Amino acid sequence: MARNGIGNTGVKKNGAGEFFLATLLLWLVSVVFEIAFNLRTELLWVICGGCFFQLMNWVVRSWISRDPLFVNTSISLLHSIITSASVVFILLNQCLAKGLDEMFYHSELVGGTWKWAYPALCFSCGYFAYDQWDMLQYRLYSGLIPSILVHHLVLLVCFTLALYRNVTINYLILTLICEMHSIFLHVRKLRRMAGIRDSNTALVKLEWVLNWTAFVFARCIPHILITVKLIKDAHKFGKGVELPLALSGMAGMNILNVGLGLDLFHAFRRERSNRRNQENNNHHDHGE
């Protein structure tokens, strides 16, 4: 468990872990209450999602690696693959059933629910709860206010409120298109953890091409289009919390995308710089 101490700095002092654990427990009590007392059996998919990813965590920990960060990243990759495949399946299925135009009507995005969209969103919601627990358990976070824990808490609140009220389910499915890009983020992280850092290899170069392509077409463009659609249809929303919640959520996602883009650019530039230095050293060695 070489990385068990990652992000330990200041965790016990500022009580961030205790706060986010308390919010996670409150969330779990809320979901169990809805299922048991309000007989919302469709929400069992949330519990299924959490249990499935925890089971996969134990499998990876038992058979592949006991490094908490490696295990966490592997399960994140699995979630991104499952979610991406689910979203593509749901969109294609709906497109063939109703046609592309009708899919994106305001009434369809806000009040409707595409086939399989509800269980898919529940399953993802279960993953975010599992991931929050895993990060808290092994302290895979850092900072006074850990951004990854805030991100997961915001997603849990938004997803769960939508699932309880059965609104904006299709909008949230569209936001999950970004998981296609997350696949390459997790692959890059695992590749570097496995010690494969030679940026001269064709595989690493291909990974960067796919990473940037997915960042633009599966993350930035869909999130910008969703934000534009929300603003354009703002007058069609009622006086409830749906519009403010959706707009603030998308604003947060777009800000995170800018930060992620900058991080990717710096990482890309750093790898290119290392490659140039390596080439210069090789050239110098041959010259001698």
Side-chain angles (χ1 to χ4, degrees), residues 103-137:
M103 276 177 69
F104 300 112
Y105 286 160
H106 173 77
S107 56
E108 185 75 8
L109 290 172
V110 175
T113 306
W114 296 326
K115 194 175 181 183
W116 301 109
Y118 197 94
L121 201 64
C122 284
F123 206 71
S124 252
C125 197
Y127 161 77
F128 289 117
Y130 142 78
D131 200 42
Q132 189 85 323
W133 163 247
D134 196 56
M135 288 192 167
L136 287 166
Q137 192 180 5

Side-chain angles (χ1 to χ4, degrees), residues 28-203:
L28 182 60
V29 168
S30 166
V31 173
V32 170
F33 181 87
E34 282 291 318
I35 294 168
F37 293 98
N38 292 337
L39 305 177
R40 298 286 300 276
T41 51
E42 67 273 22
L43 290 168
L44 281 168
W45 280 104
V46 176
I47 307 298
C48 288
C51 292
F52 171 78
F53 289 108
Q54 185 61 63
L55 178 65
M56 291 299 103
N57 181 297
W58 288 331
V59 169
V60 174
R61 193 176 301 282
S62 302
W63 294 95
I64 300 172
S65 170
R66 294 187 66 82
D67 179 346
L69 189 61
F70 182 89
V71 175
N72 184 274
T73 308
S74 300
I75 304 306
S76 296
L77 173 61
L78 179 64
H79 167 254
S80 293
I81 292 168
I82 291 171
T83 305
S84 298
S86 302
V87 170
V88 170
F89 171 76
I90 289 163
L91 291 175
L92 282 175
N93 184 57
Q94 199 61 28
C95 184
L96 292 170
K98 285 195 173 182
L100 201 59
D101 291 341
E102 202 176 317
M103 276 177 69
F104 300 112
Y105 286 160
H106 173 77
S107 56
E108 185 75 8
L109 290 172
V110 175
T113 306
W114 296 326
K115 194 175 181 183
W116 301 109
Y118 197 94
L121 201 64
C122 284
F123 206 71
S124 252
C125 197
Y127 161 77
F128 289 117
Y130 142 78
D131 200 42
Q132 189 85 323
W133 163 247
D134 196 56
M135 288 192 167
L136 287 166
Q137 192 180 5
Y138 293 102
R139 292 179 185 166
L140 302 174
Y141 58 92
S142 59
L144 188 66
I145 304 171
S147 59
I148 187 69
L149 298 184
V150 174
H151 171 258
H152 279 26
L153 178 60
V154 169
L155 282 179
L156 280 173
V157 170
C158 290
F159 278 34
T160 312
L161 282 175
L163 290 167
Y164 285 177
R165 296 166 66 98
N166 212 349
V167 291
T168 65
I169 302 296
N170 296 340
Y171 258 124
L172 288 170
I173 285 292
L174 290 175
T175 66
L176 287 174
I177 292 170
C178 69
E179 289 298 333
M180 293 171 99
H181 173 242
S182 296
I183 290 172
F184 301 106
L185 292 179
H186 300 318
V187 164
R188 180 177 180 273
K189 198 171 176 181
L190 288 171
R191 185 254 301 170
R192 290 177 65 80
M193 287 174 74
I196 306 165
R197 292 166 179 255
D198 185 2
S199 55
N200 273 323
T201 62
L203 202 65

